Amino acid sequence: MTLTAPPAARPAASGPDLTRAALSGRRRFTNHLATSAIWFAVLLAVIPLALVTYTVIAKGGGVMSLSFLNEDIPNSYRREGGGMGPAIVGTLLITGMAALMAIPLGVFGAIYLNEYGKQRPLARVIRLMSDVMTGVPSIVMGLFIYISWVLLVGEQTGFAGALALACLMLPVVIRSSEEMLRLVPDELRQASMALGARKWKTTLTVVLPAAISGITSGSLLAVARAAGETAPIIIVTGIVFSPNWNLFDGSNTALPAQIFRNASQPFEAAQDRAWGAALTLIVIVLGFTIIARFISSRFAIKER
């Protein structure tokens, strides 16, 4: 008969082992708590966005039609039917003119700040003014254009609205473009200059192509932001009921102004037009955003 020894007793955990186990459990608890808080924050952000999107689509989708996109705006808020053709035309023209003014000037300003100005006094002043203009309310910018342009020329025009939107877009384009240029490695500049290229040619042929995807994306996002501004358009462009293709002659209108004017009326027909205009504006802004992402991805692929 063979006798077997009883199993040895498991040694008790020492002090350092208990400390490590406690720390590991505390880390897991902290990680789960932080993850839950992050998902809760995401949920808080998504729920209002989903509700707004659903409401606009549900109420604006019933109004949307080809005639709504083409017909003139009714000259009475009580009238049913009509469309937002003049507002769509005005939105595209005013925003396009604003982009034509703000994007080149903003990119050139960013090139000066990052490539030439650096920390010189003029560059510091431009950065400071860009930061200040970024926080200026849009209605203040509308009042500035009204006093400095509308009263000077004697009439409200679509070009005045484009000036106001350009002033709102300019600091965004400057700061976003400067950040993109700052991300370009200095080794690329040094290599170009080592081959005998001048600074302006290095900036044009090396630095800009390397940062063009971010500059394009930031610029188009600034355009999308400006397309939804209401206060400057109401103050400086006036109102029309039929399309005005001339930005320099006569009043104009845009979708944000029509949303405000129709939504503030007690008539059901006007409120329906406001919902339809809101959905149209969301689609336009979404289109700008998709174009920005597409162009950015295309340039990124070419850089690779």
Side-chain angles (χ1 to χ4, degrees):
M1 182 175 178
T2 305
L3 297 177
T4 58
R10 192 172 185 178
S14 60
D17 293 335
L18 289 175
T19 303
R20 283 195 292 270
L23 288 175
S24 177
R26 189 180 303 170
R27 289 193 187 100
R28 283 197 297 268
F29 174 76
T30 305
N31 180 57
H32 292 323
L33 183 63
T35 304
S36 302
I38 291 171
W39 280 109
F40 180 70
V42 171
L43 190 63
L44 286 180
V46 168
I47 288 177
L49 179 61
L51 289 176
V52 169
T53 304
Y54 171 77
T55 304
V56 173
I57 293 176
K59 294 191 174 183
V63 184
M64 293 294 292
S65 64
L66 186 60
S67 61
F68 179 81
L69 300 176
N70 294 329
E71 290 183 3
D72 291 347
I73 302 171
N75 56 10
S76 174
Y77 293 111
R78 298 174 180 266
R79 285 178 51 189
E80 295 185 359
M84 286 291 152
I88 295 173
V89 171
T91 299
L92 296 177
L93 289 178
I94 293 172
T95 307
M97 178 60 73
L100 192 62
M101 292 185 289
I103 292 177
L105 186 60
V107 173
F108 288 149
I111 290 174
Y112 169 76
L113 292 178
N114 191 72
E115 303 298 324
Y116 296 92
K118 304 292 184 182
Q119 296 300 321
R120 294 177 183 175
L122 179 58
R124 292 182 180 181
V125 171
I126 294 175
R127 288 191 185 95
L128 175 63
M129 296 306 298
S130 297
D131 294 336
V132 171
M133 287 178 64
T134 303
V136 171
S138 58
I139 191 169
V140 175
M141 200 64 70
L143 289 173
F144 169 72
I145 297 299
Y146 184 83
I147 293 172
S148 61
W149 179 265
V150 175
L151 295 182
L152 183 65
V153 300
E155 66 173 342
Q156 295 173 311
T157 60
F159 183 71
L163 284 176
L165 296 187
C167 292
L168 292 172
M169 291 169 54
L170 184 60
V172 179
V173 176
I174 289 176
R175 298 303 285 166
S176 62
S177 300
E178 184 186 6
E179 291 301 323
M180 292 301 104
L181 292 172
R182 193 174 295 172
L183 294 176
V184 178
D186 285 335
E187 288 78 4
L188 294 178
R189 299 178 178 87
Q190 295 170 4
S192 176
M193 292 181 178
L195 294 174
R198 294 180 179 272
K199 191 174 183 62
W200 69 267
K201 193 168 185 179
T202 299
T203 303
L204 186 63
T205 60
V206 176
V207 179
L208 271 181
I212 193 64
S213 61
I215 292 174
T216 304
S217 180
S219 299
L220 289 181
L221 290 178
V223 171
R225 174 186 177 271
E229 292 292 344
T230 305
I233 300 299
I234 294 175
I235 294 174
V236 302
T237 61
I239 185 171
V240 293
F241 302 100
S242 58
N244 181 10
W245 295 88
N246 190 349
L247 287 175
F248 301 94
D249 185 20
S251 299
N252 215 313
T253 189
L255 286 170
Q258 290 301 320
I259 293 171
F260 170 77
R261 288 192 169 99
N262 285 274
S264 60
Q265 299 299 318
F267 310 113
E268 185 177 355
Q271 293 179 6
D272 289 341
R273 285 191 293 270
W275 285 114
L279 181 57
T280 306
L281 182 61
I282 288 177
V283 171
I284 292 175
V285 172
L286 179 63
F288 281 130
T289 306
I290 292 174
I291 291 173
R293 298 299 181 188
F294 176 76
I295 294 176
S296 178
S297 63
R298 293 289 293 179
F299 278 119
I301 291 173
K302 288 182 179 179
E303 288 173 5
R304 292 175 190 171

